[in-house]
């Protein structure tokens, strides 16, 4: 969305039929479309493609060959299974900036776990520092983790495009909800790390 605001031509790929789930999020609706969907998809064109169909995957390959940036938020490995992983698209377009957004990153023990704003807020400790002192953890009223991750992804994409001007090569960006949430709270993240280190160093009482 921000890239579109800055003048990029953005093509959103949706599934055939109902399209993006958020098209139905409401009320309120404007001309039978969700006001939420319209607000976060401004400046975008849309195309419906069945990625599970061979011809659909081929269409994405052809599109990636002439695009500067691809942004995806599938579970790590899913697009690779469809022949649309970074390696596949990089072969078609060596200058492509391929940005993967996930819950917990492309590698690691939780990489295959689905990621949602509320999960990352809970795991990162964001809910713990939200709400009344001594009360239960509280989910923020706005999807702060999703918003922060989008901003980090936008900055990384802009940096990758600048790097491409110097090297002529694209890059694979790994952006995830948990890291974004931690990066957005450096003081509390540092305090948690220090507390964990102190607990590990403390002698056991028995």
């Amino acid at each position: 969305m921000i890239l579109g605001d800055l003048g990029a031509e953005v093509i959103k790929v949706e599934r055939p039929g109902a399209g993006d789930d958020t098209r139905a999020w409401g009320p309120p609706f404007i001309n039978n479309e969700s006001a939420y969907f319209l607000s976060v998809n401004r400046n975008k064109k849309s195309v419906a493609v069945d990625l599970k169909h061979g011809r659909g995957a081929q269409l994405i390959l052809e599109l990636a060959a002439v695009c500067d940036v691809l942004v995806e938020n599938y579970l790590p490995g899913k697009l690779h299974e469809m022949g649309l992983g970074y390696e596949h698209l990089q072969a078609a377009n060596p200058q492509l900036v391929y940005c993967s957004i996930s819950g917990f990153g492309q590698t690691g023990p939780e990489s295959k776990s689905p990621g949602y704003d509320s999960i990352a807020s809970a795991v990162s400790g964001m809910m713990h520092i939200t709400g009344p002192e001594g009360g239960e953890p509280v989910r923020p009223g706005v999807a702060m983790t999703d918003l922060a991750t989008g901003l980090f992804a936008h900055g990384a994409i802009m940096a990758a495009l600048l790097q491409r001007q110097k090297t002529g090569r694209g890059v694979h960006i790994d952006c995830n909800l948990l890291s974004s949430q931690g990066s957005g709270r450096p003081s509390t993240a540092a305090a948690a790390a220090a507390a964990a280190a102190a607990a590990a160093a403390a002698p056991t009482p028995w």
Side-chain angles (χ1 to χ4, degrees), residues 91-180:
N93 181 1
Q95 292 190 322
L96 182 70
V97 173
Y98 189 114
C99 180
S100 296
I101 299 176
S102 62
F104 301 94
Q106 298 298 298
T107 59
E110 299 297 327
S111 63
K112 302 300 183 182
S113 300
Y116 298 94
D117 178 277
S118 56
I119 294 175
S121 291
V123 173
S124 68
M126 178 65 175
M127 290 187 183
H128 177 70
I129 61 171
T130 305
E133 184 175 357
E136 293 294 321
V138 175
R139 182 179 183 273
V142 176
M144 297 304 300
T145 306
D146 284 347
L147 294 173
T149 305
L151 289 170
F152 278 118
H154 159 255
I157 289 169
M158 297 295 283
L161 290 172
L162 181 60
Q163 175 181 276
R164 190 183 71 176
Q165 284 189 312
K166 300 177 180 179
T167 66
R169 303 286 298 179
V171 68
H172 186 192
I173 297 169
D174 179 2
C175 194
N176 68 83
L177 300 179
L178 184 60
S179 294
S180 297

Side-chain angles (χ1 to χ4, degrees), residues 2-88:
I2 299 174
L3 296 173
D5 289 342
L6 295 175
E9 179 184 14
V10 180
I11 302 172
K12 179 182 177 72
V13 178
E14 302 182 53
R15 69 178 186 274
D20 188 328
D21 288 340
T22 63
R23 286 183 178 273
W25 283 13
F29 293 96
I30 300 174
N31 296 327
N32 297 320
E33 285 210 288
S34 161
Y36 172 83
F37 173 85
L38 294 174
S39 71
V40 298
N41 287 283
R42 62 179 184 266
N43 299 323
K44 297 179 185 178
K45 301 176 180 178
S46 287
V47 60
V49 179
D50 183 356
L51 297 183
K52 296 181 180 179
H53 191 283
R55 180 54 183 154
Q58 181 60 34
L59 283 172
I60 299 302
L61 277 171
E62 293 172 5
L63 192 59
V66 296
C67 285
D68 294 299
V69 179
L70 179 140
V71 180
E72 62 91 7
N73 67 339
Y74 279 76
L75 277 177
K78 285 295 182 181
L79 286 184
H80 183 83
E81 294 173 3
M82 301 177 191
L84 297 173
Y86 172 67
E87 301 82 1
H88 305 103

